Amino acid sequence: MTAYAQRERRLLADLLLRLGPDEPTLCEGWSTRDLAAHLVVRDRRPDAAAGAMIGPLRSHGERVRLRTAARPYADVVHEVRTPPWWSPVSNRLVDEAANTIEFFVHHEDARRAQPDWAPRELDPGLEAALWRNVKLTGRLVLRRSGAAVEVRAGGYGSFTVGDNPATTLTGPPGELAMFLTGRRDHARVTIEGDGLRDARLGL
């Protein structure tokens, strides 16, 4: 099995070093330094990473992330590149399932916030891996939004959320991943119908 999560992690770490700590990302309010710190906390501090999903832990998670961001940037990026073997989200058993879409999207967060970005031509194997993730996370996101939608990825398949969808969302798996994780203004997809106009998307 090709290690797409590891490849995207490596490419993101390279890009973070090349850009430096103070460039914008698609994550609202976050610089490249903030994004790198988030990924380190996700890998190494499960007590703090849980704040993304558990309200009472949110302030603790943000304090840990800010302390991490205050460290030397090159050290933080090195830790992005080299997760510990014991990480609950990055160990060998779960890495591909947990991190392929995570690192693809955050790699694109850094890329697409720059003025000269252009779409990458993705390995078909990576697109297939992203599609597997999109089918799982996309259903969750769309159900939570209340939208009835048919999602189509040419050459990979389709799935439907809700009854009698009047809206169709079409694009390559990578672009669908960006759209469904809340990057709608930077995702090259086609939407037919109005069901997604006001939908709140993202994990």
Side-chain angles (χ1 to χ4, degrees), residues 8 11-12 15-16 18-19 23-28 30 32 35 101 103-122 126-127 130 170-190:
E8 290 299 306
L11 290 171
L12 173 56
L15 179 60
L16 289 172
R18 191 158 64 247
L19 291 174
E23 291 299 310
T25 74
L26 298 187
C27 300
E28 186 176 355
W30 278 7
T32 40
L35 177 57
I101 200 165
F103 278 87
F104 170 80
V105 167
H106 283 319
H107 183 193
E108 294 300 316
D109 283 339
R111 289 185 70 254
R112 299 186 188 203
Q114 309 312 312
D116 58 348
W117 81 273
R120 288 188 286 161
E121 184 172 342
L122 300 182
L126 174 56
E127 291 273 36
L130 290 169
T170 305
E175 298 303 317
L176 293 170
M178 294 298 289
F179 184 88
L180 291 167
T181 55
R183 283 79 173 169
R184 69 169 71 214
D185 292 338
H186 292 82
R188 298 192 172 183
V189 298
T190 300

Side-chain angles (χ1 to χ4, degrees), residues 41-90:
V41 170
R42 181 177 178 273
D43 277 336
R44 296 167 184 266
R45 290 292 303 270
D47 61 308
M53 296 175 289
I54 303 172
L57 295 178
R58 190 164 293 131
S59 60
H60 168 63
E62 183 62 3
R63 284 194 300 272
V64 173
R65 191 191 65 79
L66 290 172
R67 284 200 301 269
T68 302
R71 293 170 44 212
Y73 182 66
D75 293 349
V76 177
V77 175
H78 177 72
E79 290 190 353
V80 171
R81 190 187 300 276
T82 56
W85 65 267
W86 50 262
S87 171
V89 294
S90 299

Side-chain angles (χ1 to χ4, degrees), residues 127-151:
E127 291 273 36
L130 290 169
W131 177 241
R132 289 192 292 273
N133 279 267
V134 163
K135 286 190 293 183
L136 293 173
T137 59
R139 285 187 174 96
L140 173 65
V141 166
L142 290 169
R143 283 194 190 105
R144 192 169 59 192
S145 76
V149 182
E150 181 182 4
V151 180

